[in-house]
Amino acid sequence: MRYDLDDLRLFVHVVTEGSITAGARRMRLSLPSASARVRSLERHAGVSLLDRGRRGVRPTPAGATLARHAKEVLDRTARLENAVAGYARSPAEPLVLVTGSSAMHRLVPPALIAFLLEYADQDVTVLERRTPQTVRLLTSGEADLGIVIEDEARDSGLETELLGDDSLVVVGQAGGVLAGRGKLAYREIAEHPLVGLDASAPLQRWIDKNLGPHAPVARYRTLVTNLDTQISLAAAGVGLAVIPRRAVPPGLALDICELHDPWAHRRHLLCWGARVRQSSRAVAALADHLRRVYT
């Protein structure tokens, strides 16, 4: 079972402060975002981690155990980062491309193939991260290029350009509950069984964050690790799935319905790292191959 380091930091702050509000403040997060991330942690762990009361929160036995081990993991991570902080990146190191799970589906792979075939001496490391983490890596110079969600990167101060639409739709078995429907709100979708991505997937995290703490409680038949599996299960009638419209495979028998919620309308941006040499031929070529797959 894998945990996101930022989620562990948030949980430790919440337990230390005895308040989700105070923990959110220390992480510079909004309360709805922090609450959604804590709930995601609990779903990921499969147990309740906090007892919530009018005067704040306190950890359950499982939560206390997680907080104790999280502190140890964060301490070891800090020591590791300090140990290598003095080493500069070698020119021979690979380019670093950071992207979310949505762009990894049928967009990054063909661009990467074309680039690596053209530049046989240039390697690329691809990381799958949420937009806030991507922005941090780009700002610190640890990444060269990133594909980010426009709304979450607007104030990053980094150089960006529009890549394309990444709006979300709901899909289900052809002739099923979506038949004849034009637009639906998420609250209507949540009345039916769903198929979701793993709680740690950047796309699922983005959806959970935007739904907020007062979202209707949905029944997930299963959580999977990639969009291909999620779409296959939805097409088979296991449950409805919220996915990017452009991820729908051509020719697959599916009913597709627009999402009425404003958060479902989003766009991908290409974002350059703060320390990228603008004259870098390899970075420019990788960016160009990414542009092509969006056209």
Side-chain angles (χ1 to χ4, degrees):
M1 188 177 295
R2 299 171 60 185
Y3 291 92
D4 183 272
L5 289 178
D6 284 343
D7 285 352
L8 294 180
R9 289 189 183 94
L10 171 62
F11 188 74
V12 169
H13 288 322
V14 168
V15 170
T16 301
E17 299 287 347
S19 163
I20 295 178
T21 300
R25 188 180 304 116
R26 292 189 62 175
M27 290 288 291
R28 297 184 178 180
L29 294 170
S30 67
L31 178 57
S33 176
S35 297
R37 290 170 68 166
V38 170
R39 288 191 293 111
S40 177
L41 256 182
E42 291 180 312
R43 287 197 301 270
H44 190 50
V47 294
S48 176
L49 299 174
L50 295 174
D51 286 327
R52 295 159 172 84
R54 288 185 298 176
R55 298 184 178 181
V57 298
R58 58 186 178 85
T60 63
T65 299
L66 177 62
R68 183 174 67 254
H69 287 289
K71 290 178 183 178
E72 296 173 358
V73 169
L74 294 172
D75 287 343
R76 288 198 298 269
T77 301
R79 290 196 295 270
L80 175 61
E81 291 174 346
N82 290 335
V84 298
Y87 293 89
R89 285 182 60 189
S90 165
E93 286 186 356
L95 298 181
V96 178
L97 170 66
V98 194
T99 178
S101 50
S102 174
M104 281 297 295
H105 183 77
R106 297 172 58 198
L107 291 175
V108 168
L112 195 59
I113 290 171
F115 173 82
L116 292 174
L117 290 175
E118 180 180 351
Y119 287 82
D121 295 329
Q122 179 66 65
D123 300 331
V124 180
T125 296
V126 181
L127 304 176
E128 189 172 312
R129 298 288 189 273
R130 294 178 295 123
T131 289
Q133 295 171 310
T134 300
V135 168
R136 284 195 290 272
L137 290 170
L138 292 165
T139 302
S140 67
E142 298 173 76
D144 299 291
L145 287 172
I147 299 175
V148 297
I149 300 300
E150 181 179 27
D151 290 348
E152 294 187 313
R154 184 176 291 116
D155 301 320
S156 67
L158 296 168
E159 181 183 352
T160 64
E161 71 172 74
L162 177 64
L163 276 177
D165 183 72
D166 194 52
S167 293
L168 305 179
V169 296
V170 59
V171 299
Q173 185 180 37
V177 297
L178 297 181
R181 306 297 296 271
K183 284 188 176 183
L184 287 172
Y186 181 84
R187 66 177 182 276
E188 298 174 273
I189 297 168
E191 296 174 0
H192 304 279
L194 301 181
V195 177
L197 291 172
D198 184 88
S200 63
L203 177 57
Q204 190 65 42
R205 295 287 299 277
W206 190 89
I207 293 172
D208 291 341
K209 183 193 78 170
N210 281 277
L211 288 175
H214 304 299
V217 178
R219 176 196 173 195
Y220 282 97
R221 298 293 312 281
T222 186
L223 299 176
V224 297
T225 58
N226 60 73
L227 281 166
D228 282 326
T229 304
Q230 186 186 20
I231 294 168
S232 295
L233 289 169
V238 174
L240 303 180
V242 176
I243 65 170
R245 172 180 284 281
R246 48 146 200 86
V248 178
L252 183 63
L254 277 172
D255 281 336
I256 306 170
C257 199
E258 299 286 344
L259 272 175
H260 185 66
D261 306 78
W263 52 263
H265 304 285
R266 61 186 211 161
R267 303 196 299 178
H268 272 155
L269 300 180
L270 182 62
C271 193
W272 276 265
R275 300 179 188 174
V276 169
R277 297 188 303 274
Q278 297 302 316
S279 60
S280 170
R281 181 183 175 194
V283 173
L286 179 56
D288 189 52
H289 283 295
L290 290 168
R291 293 186 193 101
R292 292 177 190 174
V293 298
Y294 274 84
T295 57

